[in-house]
Amino acid sequence: MSDYNRRKWEDGELITAEKLNNMETGIVEAKKEAEGRAPKDSPEFKGSVSLGRKAGTAVGEGSFAVGHEVEASGYVSHAEGDGTSAKGHYSHAEGKGSEALADWSHAEGISHATGKAAHAEGRGTTASAEVAHAEGAASVASG
């Protein structure tokens, strides 16, 4: 709405065509800005959602990135938290610095899931083998 200048009306002020046209311009610009936005009640989105996605990272088709400096670059991937990365297809990373790097992997807390369908949770855990599961603190599931 760069062309619109809001006016503070005073009692007894003359309404002119110029002033009304300025108001009409503001209404048209506001409508243009609102087109394509999701409603507050029951919003529906198409494509990907970015709220705090890390600049310069790939945007995965159908991905969801919310938090601070998060990356969801895999197909239908989901990253939330602070500095998390969901790079595998259908992967999910949440927490602080967690990485879900392989397809179908899930990392939560401060962890790394690098094997297909692997799940790492806790602090400093790594699930590096296919369908491996690591939990707790500093545990590794590699086979």
Side-chain angles (χ1 to χ4, degrees):
M1 293 193 326
S2 60
D3 293 346
Y4 178 70
N5 294 311
R6 186 177 184 276
R7 176 175 198 79
K8 185 174 184 327
W9 292 92
E10 302 291 333
D11 287 339
E13 189 172 350
L14 181 64
I15 298 174
T16 65
E18 179 184 357
K19 293 173 185 173
L20 284 174
N21 286 334
N22 182 56
M23 192 180 313
E24 291 289 324
T25 297
I27 292 167
V28 168
E29 291 298 317
K31 182 179 178 198
K32 283 180 186 176
E33 282 189 16
E35 288 177 1
R37 292 190 180 176
K40 289 170 81 174
D41 296 328
S42 301
E44 290 185 31
F45 301 96
K46 293 180 181 173
S48 299
V49 175
S50 301
L51 298 167
R53 189 181 295 264
K54 186 175 181 179
T57 60
V59 177
E61 183 181 342
S63 66
F64 184 87
V66 62
H68 177 258
E69 296 291 309
V70 296
E71 176 181 1
S73 56
Y75 177 75
V76 194
S77 60
H78 179 129
E80 59 186 292
D82 185 7
T84 60
S85 296
K87 295 182 180 180
H89 295 326
Y90 314 102
S91 63
H92 180 184
E94 58 186 293
K96 169 82 171 137
S98 291
E99 296 179 308
L101 304 179
D103 294 350
W104 314 295
S105 62
H106 182 183
E108 55 187 293
I110 305 171
S111 62
H112 306 280
T114 59
K116 280 190 176 181
H119 183 186
E121 57 184 304
R123 182 174 40 91
T125 60
T126 301
S128 59
E130 191 169 328
V131 298
H133 182 204
E135 61 184 323
S139 61
V140 175
S142 59

